Amino acid sequence: MSDRHSLSALMILKLGSLFTLSDEETQALHDLPIQAIDLKSNRDIVRIGDSSLQCFLILEGYASSYKLTPDGQRQIMALHIPGDIPDLQSLYLKRMDCSIASLSPCTVGFFQVEELRRVCARHPRIAAAFWRDTLVDASILREWVVNVGRRDAYTRIAHLLCEFLVRLEAVGLVQGGTFDFPITQANLADATGISAVHMSRALKALRDNGLIQTRRRYLSVPDWQKLQEAGEFDPLYLHLEDNVAAGLLRTSQLETAAL
Amino acid sequence: MSDRHSLSALMILKLGSLFTLSDEETQALHDLPIQAIDLKSNRDIVRIGDSSLQCFLILEGYASSYKLTPDGQRQIMALHIPGDIPDLQSLYLKRMDCSIASLSPCTVGFFQVEELRRVCARHPRIAAAFWRDTLVDASILREWVVNVGRRDAYTRIAHLLCEFLVRLEAVGLVQGGTFDFPITQANLADATGISAVHMSRALKALRDNGLIQTRRRYLSVPDWQKLQEAGEFDPLYLHLEDNVAAGLLRTSQLETAAL
DNA sequence: CGATTACTTGAATTCACTCAATGGCGGTGG
DNA sequence: CCACCGCCATTGAGTGAATTCAAGTAATCG
């Protein structure tokens, strides 16, 4: 499983923005006690209405934030990948306003919100980095609204896949345009606000057009340019350009980052 | 126009959460130099891609965050009301990922991002309060995704109006279920991800069912309970219950809060 | 290997869309 | 003060993208 080191590397990768963290700051993150837990697929990790004293970092696998409507429909409004802290909002909001569930077998690291609050109080630059992280998440949500509100199914799915690929790439989880993709069509449908049946048809169209290839639990993008165009994808909203750590990673391909 | 006092009152109202701000903290917000500007309706205040050194607070009127798709469709992903700082993200993100425009004649107060950053550095509790504010905005975005992704037009509009009313109420801008509502149907359509024509039909249905009344530039909600049910509205996601200042305001109806 | 879950495909339906034409309101200027 | 123009809202008719329902196939897991 994941040791302290890779955990800290993931965090620093995600946070490293605006400035590089000092050794002391890195150490502070290192020293944050974490309890690693393994989870099966499709398990709620936190539920809407909860007011937990803990937060969790995804170490391995994917998760989603979702809500249910009264008639039982589901909408996923965020996908979470290794390095994400999906419920970081618990830092300053009393109750969860959505549920978070694993989309695949997951390893997550729980820590005390209070401890993180202390780290933030002692290290303003770490606080700023986490704050920035929540601002990027908000930006992703804004694009998600555009996706669901104004794009047709085909474009919408292409866009979602573009975003997912770029975010995975930033944490070193893409090899040659291929990445782990165990997410069911039903879940993808809930993420894009379409029906599962239509998701099947639209994915077929994407496959037929050579934009994606699905082999087992993996997804490949043979022509990145074409998929971007199909998805009307512009990565501006991911705010990667001003992320120091991610930039360093991309150029040097640090081994430590691959979980 | 708005003097320093009401400006500070608006800010404190919005920020007053988790704890009440001390006199010193209040003073720090007071001392933030602001330049008030009047704007006509439908004017861009900031544009996507901008990297401004300024932020603005809405003093009067409404604004929206929006993006355009390549084929010219528009999606509004946030409505902003007095007391909001729509581009607070500029604090830690280099470029704007959406445009922000006035939806009505507006008065906005510009201030230097750098100054706010200084205030946050000197007053960690103010920083926490602003951070919390961005977290609530993210929560509203999550609900917006659900609205646009999974609700039919009728329910979707009802929900949007519920949210708008509750947020306005929190800053004292609702009198007896009636509030200023100069927002065109085309803008509402862009906010809900439907067409302007269908917006007209759905609004008619809401009117015919007695859920809303539209007189001139004002909107009335005769039966709050019924509108909430029609919109599947649960205010949990607005995180009002733990907002000290708003709570105080609601119970004591401070005069200072009315702009 | 059997059972469950995930995916595919067809057919009919529906909600929302576009196009188009008309009506109302408010502001501006002759 | 009224006429006109432009913006906003409404309504009808036809279309279309995505839905539901249904049946059947493929994949995965214990």
Side-chain angles (χ1 to χ4, degrees):
Chain A
M1 207 46 46
S2 50
D3 63 356
R4 282 287 178 83
H5 181 70
S6 69
L7 186 158
S8 158
L10 259 182
M11 268 188 147
I12 286 160
L13 179 63
K14 194 77 191 307
L15 292 181
S17 59
L18 306 170
F19 42 75
T20 0
L21 296 179
S22 72
D23 289 348
E24 195 197 339
E25 286 160 345
T26 306
Q27 191 61 41
L29 289 175
H30 247 297
D31 293 345
L32 194 70
I34 299 263
Q35 184 190 9
I37 303 261
D38 285 323
L39 287 166
K40 292 189 177 149
S41 191
N42 288 313
R43 295 285 186 278
D44 278 349
I45 307 173
V46 296
R47 287 210 177 82
I48 186 166
D50 284 359
S51 48
S52 169
L53 300 174
Q54 301 193 107
C55 264
F56 68 96
L57 168 74
I58 299 186
L59 297 165
E60 240 182 296
Y62 304 135
S64 70
S65 293
Y66 74 91
K67 289 191 192 185
L68 300 173
T69 59
D71 57 326
Q73 288 189 97
R74 206 165 75 114
Q75 177 67 45
I76 290 174
M77 66 285 290
L79 297 177
H80 306 290
I81 65 173
D84 289 352
I85 303 178
D87 61 345
L88 184 53
Q89 46 165 306
S90 300
L91 205 58
Y92 289 115
L93 298 180
K94 291 215 180 85
R95 295 152 145 275
M96 285 300 298
D97 50 71
C98 63
S99 300
I100 303 175
S102 57
L103 281 176
S104 69
C106 270
T107 310
V108 299
F110 281 95
F111 55 87
Q112 302 301 314
V113 179
E114 195 44 47
E115 305 245 24
L116 183 58
R117 252 194 287 260
R118 250 199 299 278
V119 171
C120 284
R122 253 199 281 277
H123 304 277
R125 281 158 39 108
I126 291 181
F130 274 115
W131 190 350
R132 179 184 180 283
D133 194 54
T134 63
L135 291 171
V136 172
D137 287 344
S139 175
I140 292 173
L141 280 168
R142 279 188 287 275
E143 185 66 30
W144 207 290
V145 171
V146 177
N147 208 33
V148 166
R150 285 300 186 205
R151 294 199 251 261
D152 65 22
Y154 185 86
T155 315
R156 207 181 288 190
I157 298 161
H159 189 282
L160 182 100
L161 294 176
C162 286
E163 176 184 309
F164 201 68
L165 180 118
V166 170
R167 286 174 57 204
L168 281 180
E169 203 146 46
V171 288
L173 291 175
V174 180
Q175 281 99 29
T178 301
F179 52 91
D180 192 32
F181 200 71
I183 302 174
T184 66
Q185 293 187 1
N187 280 325
L188 278 180
D190 288 341
T192 45
I194 66 178
S195 70
V197 172
H198 199 54
M199 176 56 67
S200 172
R201 290 190 238 267
L203 280 175
K204 177 170 161 48
L206 283 167
R207 266 185 267 115
D208 290 349
N209 290 340
L211 295 183
I212 58 171
Q213 288 165 8
T214 48
R215 278 191 308 270
R216 309 241 163 217
R217 302 159 32 87
Y218 288 89
L219 194 144
S220 293
V221 176
D223 190 335
W224 174 229
Q225 195 59 40
K226 269 172 74 180
L227 187 64
Q228 277 184 291
E229 279 160 20
E232 302 180 348
F233 182 73
D234 176 353
L236 168 75
Y237 73 97
L238 292 171
H239 297 277
L240 294 169
E241 82 284 356
D242 46 33
N243 188 318
V244 177
L248 285 176
L249 181 84
R250 275 196 302 278
T251 54
S252 67
Q253 296 296 331
L254 299 174
E255 277 302 307
T256 50
L259 196 67
Chain B
M1 204 50 44
S2 49
D3 63 354
R4 282 285 177 82
H5 182 70
S6 69
L7 187 158
S8 158
L10 260 181
M11 268 187 147
I12 287 161
L13 179 63
K14 195 78 191 305
L15 293 180
S17 59
L18 306 171
F19 42 74
T20 2
L21 296 179
S22 72
D23 288 349
E24 195 197 338
E25 287 160 345
T26 306
Q27 191 60 40
L29 289 175
H30 246 297
D31 293 345
L32 195 70
I34 299 262
Q35 184 190 9
I37 304 262
D38 284 323
L39 288 166
K40 291 190 178 150
S41 191
N42 287 312
R43 295 286 185 278
D44 278 349
I45 307 174
V46 296
R47 286 209 178 82
I48 186 166
D50 283 359
S51 48
S52 169
L53 300 174
Q54 301 195 106
C55 265
F56 68 96
L57 168 74
I58 298 186
L59 297 165
E60 241 182 296
Y62 305 135
S64 70
S65 294
Y66 72 93
K67 290 192 193 186
L68 300 174
T69 59
D71 57 327
Q73 289 189 94
R74 205 166 75 113
Q75 177 67 46
I76 290 175
M77 66 283 290
L79 297 177
H80 306 289
I81 65 173
D84 288 352
I85 303 177
D87 61 345
L88 185 53
Q89 46 165 305
S90 301
L91 205 58
Y92 289 115
L93 297 179
K94 291 215 179 83
R95 296 152 145 275
M96 285 299 298
D97 51 70
C98 63
S99 300
I100 303 175
S102 56
L103 282 176
S104 70
C106 270
T107 310
V108 300
F110 281 94
F111 56 88
Q112 302 300 314
V113 179
E114 195 45 48
E115 304 245 25
L116 183 59
R117 252 194 288 261
R118 250 200 299 278
V119 171
C120 284
R122 253 199 280 277
H123 304 277
R125 280 158 40 109
I126 291 182
F130 274 115
W131 190 349
R132 178 183 181 283
D133 194 53
T134 64
L135 290 171
V136 172
D137 287 344
S139 175
I140 292 173
L141 280 168
R142 278 188 287 276
E143 185 66 30
W144 207 289
V145 171
V146 176
N147 208 33
V148 166
R150 285 300 187 205
R151 294 200 251 262
D152 64 21
Y154 185 86
T155 315
R156 209 182 287 191
I157 298 162
H159 189 282
L160 182 98
L161 294 176
C162 285
E163 177 184 308
F164 202 69
L165 178 109
V166 169
R167 287 174 55 205
L168 282 181
E169 203 146 46
V171 286
L173 290 175
V174 179
Q175 282 98 29
T178 301
F179 53 92
D180 193 30
F181 200 72
I183 303 173
T184 65
Q185 293 187 0
N187 280 324
L188 279 180
D190 288 342
T192 44
I194 66 179
S195 71
V197 172
H198 199 56
M199 176 56 67
S200 173
R201 289 191 237 269
L203 281 175
K204 178 170 160 48
L206 283 167
R207 265 186 268 114
D208 291 350
N209 291 339
L211 295 183
I212 58 171
Q213 288 165 7
T214 48
R215 277 193 309 270
R216 309 244 164 217
R217 300 160 31 88
Y218 289 89
L219 195 145
S220 293
V221 176
D223 190 335
W224 174 229
Q225 195 60 39
K226 268 172 74 181
L227 187 64
Q228 276 183 289
E229 279 160 21
E232 303 181 347
F233 182 74
D234 176 353
L236 167 76
Y237 74 95
L238 292 172
H239 296 277
L240 295 169
E241 83 284 355
D242 47 33
N243 188 316
V244 177
L248 285 176
L249 182 82
R250 275 197 300 279
T251 53
S252 67
Q253 296 295 330
L254 299 174
E255 277 302 305
T256 50
L259 194 71

